[in-house]
Amino acid sequence: MPAPVGSTEAGSAAVKAETAKRVLQANHDFTVPDPVAALVADDSATMSFMNLGRVQLEIGGSMIESPGGTKPLRVMVIGRQGDHVRAAVDLPTARFSVWTTANQFYSVLQNEQSVQFDATGPTGALASATLHEGARVRRLARRGDYTKVRYVGAMQIEGWVPESALGLAVTARRATGRISRGHRAQHVAPGAVVRADTMWASTPVAVVASGYLVDLVKDRKDGWWEVEYLDGDIEVHGFWSRTSPPASVVVEREADPPPPLVTPNETIPSGTCLHSQIESDQVGYVVGDVGGELVASSVPGWWSLALDTPWGPITFGVQGPSAIELVACAPPNTVPPTKLTVP
């Protein structure tokens, strides 16, 4: 039966309104009525980025140490109490929430912003760098209503944006790679500097990080080119010379190797409910039938379950009369059905 005229638009508006509410909530204290239901993956929901820093399954619980590294993990903020932030972690084998501090998160641009630079030399009128909504940045310094940030992607950009433009969450979107406007592309090496004018002493606008192409807009003679770069996160316009000395680039480091991996002794049924510890709150559930290290506890009907995660093995509490009859709590139609059968 065809949908009523306008129903699609109404549904889309409702989704946008709910997402906008979540973005706003992420910057203030809030709780969700059902933390387990809030773990359901949603492409139209919000996204945030956190370091693999120290986390807890519950406030006041055992601390799970950081494995190191600076490459962020994409999560969804589902609660906040002051400086404590609750994040939903979506892994191929499990979904669960962790508590950490706000300073473990990257800031994300809430709207498009033109970057203001610390002028270290001449700056031409054509030079600019723009951070688009959703670009993730590191905070470096604060001065009045402005915050100095560093963006690292295809390009590395450092400069000042309004503090009000930064938050923990933004509407989820797909990553967009390099966009060409039809100019001739030029291969460049990491460390190549896009400057604000056609001289080595001019203010840096951006440094090539993981990217390898810029668009040549116009030959400015004496070895200098007017160039631009555009993708889903940034837009850069400035000047580049192949003889200009390179600059240093910050590299996001993968996490250190985790502790020894779990040695599975049981296959855990899909949907099995994960608790922060024995006889404690629900914090997540298993996705698909997965291998885990299951050990009976001293409390009848409760087990300890160790699963591999980006932090290394994390031990949860699970409940059930037997290893194959563990209590499930995954919301309907959110995980694959288990293929295990009770003997």
Side-chain angles (χ1 to χ4, degrees):
M1 179 177 179
V5 175
S7 63
T8 301
E9 291 82 355
S12 177
V15 168
K16 289 180 180 179
E18 177 61 26
T19 301
K21 178 182 176 183
R22 293 183 188 182
V23 171
L24 184 63
Q25 283 179 329
N27 294 312
H28 302 83
D29 286 7
F30 77 102
T31 57
V32 292
D34 186 347
V36 172
L39 298 174
V40 177
D42 184 352
D43 291 339
S44 66
T46 62
M47 63 180 184
S48 301
F49 299 91
M50 64 177 283
N51 284 327
L52 293 178
R54 302 177 77 196
V55 297
Q56 299 167 291
L57 293 178
E58 58 185 356
I59 294 178
S62 299
M63 193 65 69
I64 300 167
E65 295 299 327
S66 166
T70 58
K71 200 156 190 177
L73 178 69
R74 177 174 166 174
V75 298
M76 185 168 65
V77 173
I78 61 170
R80 186 165 184 177
Q81 294 182 21
D83 192 47
H84 288 88
V85 180
R86 193 173 199 177
V89 179
D90 185 8
L91 303 179
T93 55
R95 296 187 190 120
F96 57 93
S97 64
V98 295
W99 286 94
T100 187
T101 53
N103 62 8
Q104 295 290 347
F105 282 78
Y106 278 71
S107 293
V108 286
L109 271 291
Q110 304 296 291
N111 44 58
E112 185 174 291
Q113 292 291 327
S114 178
V115 178
Q116 298 183 21
F117 300 104
D118 288 321
T120 58
T123 301
L126 293 176
S128 65
T130 301
L131 295 173
H132 296 159
E133 178 183 339
R136 68 173 186 260
V137 297
R138 283 282 193 193
R139 295 169 182 261
L140 301 179
R142 179 79 182 270
R143 183 188 299 157
D145 295 332
Y146 279 77
T147 297
K148 188 174 185 179
V149 299
R150 177 191 294 129
Y151 169 87
V152 180
M155 296 275 182
Q156 176 178 299
I157 300 170
E158 289 189 13
W160 298 83
V161 297
E163 172 66 23
S164 60
L166 301 174
L168 289 184
V170 74
T171 303
R173 60 173 172 78
R174 292 182 179 179
T176 303
R178 174 178 168 268
I179 300 169
S180 176
R181 289 180 171 146
H183 299 291
R184 179 161 64 93
Q186 172 67 46
H187 282 264
V188 288
V193 183
V194 178
R195 296 189 178 275
D197 210 338
T198 56
M199 58 186 70
W200 293 2
S202 58
T203 300
V205 174
V207 179
V208 176
S210 61
Y212 58 92
L213 290 174
V214 294
D215 283 354
L216 301 179
V217 178
K218 187 176 181 180
D219 186 353
R220 291 288 178 167
K221 308 303 182 183
D222 298 325
W224 287 90
W225 282 85
E226 182 181 344
V227 298
E228 69 177 14
Y229 177 86
L230 172 66
D231 63 23
D233 280 347
I234 62 170
E235 184 170 354
V236 171
H237 200 109
F239 303 91
W240 164 81
S241 170
R242 68 177 71 251
T243 60
S244 180
S248 60
V249 177
V250 174
V251 178
E252 290 183 340
R253 184 170 58 84
E254 294 285 357
D256 296 334
L261 302 180
V262 167
T263 303
N265 60 356
E266 293 286 352
T267 300
I268 310 304
S270 182
T272 293
C273 197
L274 303 175
H275 297 252
S276 58
Q277 57 182 317
I278 304 300
E279 293 187 305
S280 194
D281 294 338
Q282 298 174 353
V283 294
Y285 48 85
V286 171
V287 178
D289 296 335
V290 301
E293 188 172 342
L294 191 69
V295 178
S297 77
S298 59
V299 180
W302 283 89
W303 311 70
S304 292
L305 172 64
L307 296 175
D308 288 321
T309 77
W311 288 268
I314 291 182
T315 301
F316 301 90
V318 294
Q319 188 177 16
S322 69
I324 204 169
E325 297 177 280
L326 299 175
V327 175
C329 65
N333 304 315
T334 60
V335 298
T338 181
K339 297 179 181 179
L340 305 178
T341 58
V342 179

